């Protein structure tokens, strides 16, 4: 009887490019074959118009709410399940560059000590099949995460200043967000990776203001 010895070993795959403009992945999932898969989003936030608040009398305005909305990708909304997950949001402390290729091994420079999500409101149950209703507006299915009013006050304090003159100035003032899930726990098939369209016009940080 012949005997054959088989020697096997694992090889770590090189980092993959993670910078993309579509199907941005967020979430954590316990896969039966791959183990725990976790994906976060690093993104800039851009102004919808130039000279925000210029010439306006803002002294009687106070922030009412600040909400980060992420619109689901229309073609593919998830890998895994739609289980509730806790999502955290942090402010970037370093610049992002459009001519740079970012990979899965790159760690974003963030202020990790300060989660911008309000209290326990980061617990998110996704529903990519149901529209969102805000007043008289019907919006695309999305995840909406309330952010700390301290950030809203910072943005309001910049109203009408050079920091909101255009996107170049704004990106010096506010470099962006790191949106990250807590790692999935429990057995296999827990959690999920959700896909969002960050270029959709409804994927925004919406600041609501009220008069004192």
């Amino acid at each position: 009887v012949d005997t054959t010895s088989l020697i096997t070993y694992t090889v770590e795959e090189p980092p993959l490019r993670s910078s993309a403009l579509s199907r941005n992945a967020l979430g954590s999932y316990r896969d039966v074959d791959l183990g725990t898969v976790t994906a976060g989003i690093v993104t800039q936030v851009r102004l919808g118009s130039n000279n925000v608040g210029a010439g306006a009398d803002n002294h009687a305005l106070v922030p009412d709410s600040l909400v980060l909305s992420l619109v689901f990708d229309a073609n593919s909304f998830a890998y895994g399940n739609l289980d509730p997950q806790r999502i955290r949001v942090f402010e970037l402390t370093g610049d992002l560059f459009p001519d740079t290729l970012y990979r899965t091994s790159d760690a974003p420079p963030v202020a990790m000590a300060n989660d911008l999500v309000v209290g326990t409101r980061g617990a998110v149950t996704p529903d990519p099949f149901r529209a969102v209703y805000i007043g008289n507006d019907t919006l695309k299915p999305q995840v909406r995460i309330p952010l700390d009013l301290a950030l809203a006050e910072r943005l309001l304090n910049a109203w009408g200043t050079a920091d909101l003159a255009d996107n170049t100035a704004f990106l010096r003032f506010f470099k962006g967000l790191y949106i990250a899930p807590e790692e999935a726990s429990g057995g296999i098939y827990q959690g999920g990776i959700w896909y969002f369209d960050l270029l959709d016009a409804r994927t925004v940080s919406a600041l609501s203001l009220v008069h004192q």
Side-chain angles (χ1 to χ4, degrees), residues 68-118:
L68 173 64
S69 59
L70 302 170
V71 174
F72 282 101
D73 185 274
N75 298 314
S76 179
F77 55 81
Y79 157 65
N81 296 312
L82 297 174
D83 298 326
Q85 295 189 53
R86 175 164 172 75
I87 304 299
R88 301 172 297 165
V89 180
F90 302 96
E91 182 177 350
L92 295 184
T93 58
D95 294 311
L96 298 176
F97 301 98
D99 58 351
T100 299
L101 294 181
Y102 292 96
R103 302 188 181 278
T104 51
S105 57
D106 293 324
V110 297
M112 291 297 294
N114 185 21
D115 185 352
L116 297 176
V117 178
V118 175

Side-chain angles (χ1 to χ4, degrees), residues 57-193:
D57 182 7
N58 303 319
H59 75 277
L61 293 177
V62 294
D64 172 70
S65 61
L66 179 63
V67 177
L68 173 64
S69 59
L70 302 170
V71 174
F72 282 101
D73 185 274
N75 298 314
S76 179
F77 55 81
Y79 157 65
N81 296 312
L82 297 174
D83 298 326
Q85 295 189 53
R86 175 164 172 75
I87 304 299
R88 301 172 297 165
V89 180
F90 302 96
E91 182 177 350
L92 295 184
T93 58
D95 294 311
L96 298 176
F97 301 98
D99 58 351
T100 299
L101 294 181
Y102 292 96
R103 302 188 181 278
T104 51
S105 57
D106 293 324
V110 297
M112 291 297 294
N114 185 21
D115 185 352
L116 297 176
V117 178
V118 175
T120 59
R121 301 286 294 278
V124 175
T125 301
D127 190 348
F129 307 106
R130 180 177 299 177
V132 173
Y133 301 95
I134 306 295
N136 295 323
D137 293 331
T138 302
L139 309 181
K140 296 177 182 179
Q142 59 191 255
V143 163
R144 298 178 62 83
I145 304 174
L147 301 183
D148 197 330
L149 282 183
L151 175 57
E153 290 171 357
R154 248 179 77 200
L155 295 173
L156 182 57
N157 289 337
W159 235 241
T161 71
D163 289 328
L164 300 186
D166 54 33
N167 273 305
T168 300
F170 182 64
L171 289 175
R172 289 194 296 264
F173 171 74
F174 188 80
K175 300 188 182 300
L177 297 172
Y178 173 43
I179 310 166
E182 289 188 347
E183 187 173 293
S185 59
I188 60 172
Y189 308 122
Q190 297 298 307
I193 305 293

Side-chain angles (χ1 to χ4, degrees), residues 38-54:
T38 302
I41 294 174
V42 180
T43 181
Q44 293 175 336
V45 179
R46 293 181 171 268
L47 300 177
S49 61
N50 292 339
N51 300 310
V52 176

